[in-house]
């Protein structure tokens, strides 16, 4: 069960945050909608360690010459 919280972005879009209605009030999902797209981000594994590392150099693109 989740409680929705809708917030306008000040332009033409809006965010809808789904907050857990039971237990700790974790953000379960964020949906962004505007005239061109809908983007959904889901969250899980709360209270678990998060191991964030940079990618290997071989997997990084040099985009400085593009533009």
């Amino acid at each position: 069960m989740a409680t929705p919280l809708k917030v306008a972005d000040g332009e033409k879009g809006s965010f809808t945050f789904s907050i857990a209605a039971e237990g700790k009030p974790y953000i379960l999902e964020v949906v962004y909608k505007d005239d061109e797209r809908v983007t959904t981000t889901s969250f899980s594994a709360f209270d678990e360690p998060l191991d964030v590392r940079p990618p290997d150099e071989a997997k990084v693109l040099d985009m400085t010459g593009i533009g």
Side-chain angles (χ1 to χ4, degrees):
M1 174 127 291
T3 301
L5 172 64
K6 190 170 183 176
V7 179
D9 73 353
E11 299 292 325
K12 296 181 179 180
S14 65
F15 291 91
T16 301
F17 297 88
S18 294
I19 312 297
E22 298 175 1
K24 292 184 180 181
Y26 292 116
I27 296 175
L28 302 174
E29 183 178 79
V30 178
V31 177
Y32 177 77
K33 293 181 184 181
D34 65 14
D35 293 340
E36 298 178 16
R37 71 186 138 267
V38 175
T39 305
T40 302
T41 305
S42 298
F43 301 94
S44 62
F46 299 103
D47 293 329
E48 296 291 325
L50 178 62
D51 186 19
V52 178
R53 299 179 195 184
D56 294 332
E57 283 292 323
K59 294 182 178 181
V60 176
L61 297 176
D62 181 1
M63 303 295 285
T64 56
I66 307 280

